[in-house]
Amino acid sequence: MNRRAALSLPPPMADTSALGREQDVLGLSDEPSIHYLDHGSRSRLIRWHYHPAYELHLIVATEGTAYVGDYEGRFAPYTLMLTGPNVPHNWVTDSRWEPAALRDRVILFSEAFVRRCIEFFPLARHVKSLLLEEARYGIEFAPDLGRQLEPYFRRVAENPGLRRVASFFEMIEALAEDSTRRPLSSRPFQASADPSQSMKLHRAVTFIDRHHAGDVSLKTVSDRLGMSETAFSRFFHQHTGYRFIDYVNQTRVQRACEKLVGSPGSITDICYEVGFSNLSNFNRRFLALTGMTPREYRMRHRQPAADL
């Protein structure tokens, strides 16, 4: 499975109430709180972003691609992942599963809450490694555990006060006991806690996502952000783990994957549609990022259609 792949950002969707809920929650970086939200596959919450809260994220419908730090991998129903504070992440549903009214159940909780629990409750100290160390990489848990814990997500959603806290602690206990859990990002990842930096990154990847088929240059994007090319290149690598040109090419390859599965267009046509200027470069980049040729990818994911 390739760890280094494009970080996709769908166009904004109309779900302003959910976006407002997330902004309210994510502003509570110092409040010892537990919050719940859920949303569908076309929510505006689905974007490449990071925030000061821990995020325990359960997929309940659809399949697609998860991005955590510099990790890229598949998700399916009952995929369960945890990201630590300011670890960049995104979950993008494959187009063939759209739309889904309920795709994600999410619990957000502050670092202050974690540290106070560890400090005041000695029995909670066995989760110290999980939350204070491993979560900096992002963690994926066993799918069976995701299925087992879905009722607890519901309890957190439906119950206030001590019942919510009790359900939350049971979940954390189960996460700490999962011996099959695995780190996601190849390195500990923590972006800047400055919300203005998150918004700047959001603007950059949104522009790349929407204009990847054209001539997306380092100068074009850095000018839009009011930064020099050198400063923007350093900023982009620091906050995504990717060189700018690698990110652009990986975005194009991901769009090509979607078209190879979802449209009958020829491989040559798709190459130019996603922004590559020649077929040999497209084939080389595609093979490096997916481990197979475009033709092999199409044959594996659907019945062969029009081709070269």
Side-chain angles (χ1 to χ4, degrees):
M1 180 176 293
N2 179 28
R3 283 183 174 271
R4 310 284 298 189
L7 301 174
S8 170
L9 179 65
M13 299 295 180
D15 189 1
T16 55
S17 62
L19 181 60
R21 281 184 289 150
E22 186 200 49
Q23 289 173 335
D24 288 343
V25 169
L26 303 186
L28 300 174
S29 57
D30 297 320
E31 182 177 329
S33 304
I34 303 168
H35 296 266
Y36 172 88
L37 62 87
D38 54 46
H39 60 78
S41 63
R42 293 188 174 180
S43 170
R44 288 183 64 194
L45 301 182
I46 300 171
R47 66 193 194 281
W48 176 238
H49 69 296
Y50 55 88
H51 46 67
Y54 286 84
E55 180 170 319
L56 183 61
H57 199 115
L58 177 67
I59 298 291
V60 295
T62 79
E63 296 180 8
T65 305
Y67 306 97
V68 177
D70 63 6
Y71 166 84
E72 173 268 326
R74 299 293 295 171
F75 69 74
Y78 301 107
T79 294
L80 179 64
M81 294 181 175
L82 174 68
T83 57
N86 299 310
V87 175
H89 54 272
N90 194 14
W91 286 263
V92 181
T93 294
D94 293 343
S95 58
R96 67 182 182 275
W97 296 99
E98 295 279 15
L102 176 61
R103 191 195 74 167
D104 312 73
R105 296 190 186 277
V106 181
I107 293 175
L108 299 121
F109 53 100
S110 68
E111 186 172 8
F113 180 81
V114 168
R115 292 188 179 276
R116 291 182 193 181
C117 288
I118 291 172
E119 178 181 355
F120 291 111
F121 298 100
L123 292 178
R125 289 179 181 167
H126 70 292
V127 305
K128 183 175 180 179
S129 173
L130 174 77
L131 296 176
L132 298 186
E133 298 174 16
E134 297 173 51
R136 294 186 300 152
Y137 295 81
I139 307 169
E140 182 174 16
F141 301 90
D144 287 346
L145 184 59
R147 188 184 303 271
Q148 174 188 331
L149 292 185
E150 184 180 11
Y152 288 84
F153 278 84
R154 295 174 183 267
R155 292 176 199 173
V156 169
E158 296 167 0
N159 294 299
L162 291 178
R163 287 190 177 90
R164 169 173 287 195
V165 174
S167 295
F168 173 78
F169 279 141
E170 288 192 60
M171 298 175 76
I172 296 300
E173 183 86 10
L175 299 179
E177 292 176 350
D178 179 14
S179 62
T180 69
R181 67 181 186 266
R182 65 187 184 98
L184 296 175
S185 184
S186 66
R187 62 185 175 92
F189 213 106
Q190 188 170 45
S192 168
D194 183 351
S196 67
Q197 299 299 296
S198 179
M199 182 54 65
K200 187 179 292 185
L201 178 64
H202 174 65
R203 290 175 58 199
V205 296
T206 299
F207 183 84
I208 295 168
D209 182 78
R210 293 177 178 173
H211 300 278
H212 65 273
D215 183 18
V216 180
S217 68
L218 182 66
K219 184 178 188 308
T220 300
V221 183
S222 60
D223 284 349
R224 290 182 67 86
L225 297 180
M227 303 174 70
S228 70
E229 292 182 47
T230 300
F232 173 71
S233 178
R234 184 169 55 249
F235 164 84
F236 193 84
H237 185 268
Q238 175 187 352
H239 289 275
T240 67
Y242 294 84
R243 292 192 311 147
F244 174 81
I245 187 60
D246 291 339
Y247 181 92
V248 172
N249 284 331
Q250 291 164 2
T251 299
R252 288 169 172 166
V253 167
Q254 185 189 359
R255 295 298 181 271
C257 289
E258 294 171 0
K259 288 179 178 291
L260 287 166
V261 173
S263 80
S266 73
I267 291 173
T268 300
D269 288 344
I270 289 172
C271 160
Y272 295 114
E273 286 171 7
V274 300
F276 285 97
S277 58
N278 67 78
L279 187 60
S280 61
N281 184 40
F282 169 64
N283 286 332
R284 183 170 62 254
R285 297 284 184 180
F286 196 99
L287 178 62
L289 291 170
T290 67
M292 62 189 81
T293 66
R295 187 191 302 274
E296 290 169 340
Y297 186 92
R298 169 172 272 173
M299 293 179 66
R300 179 173 298 185
H301 289 84
R302 69 164 196 159
Q303 292 298 319
D307 217 324
L308 286 173

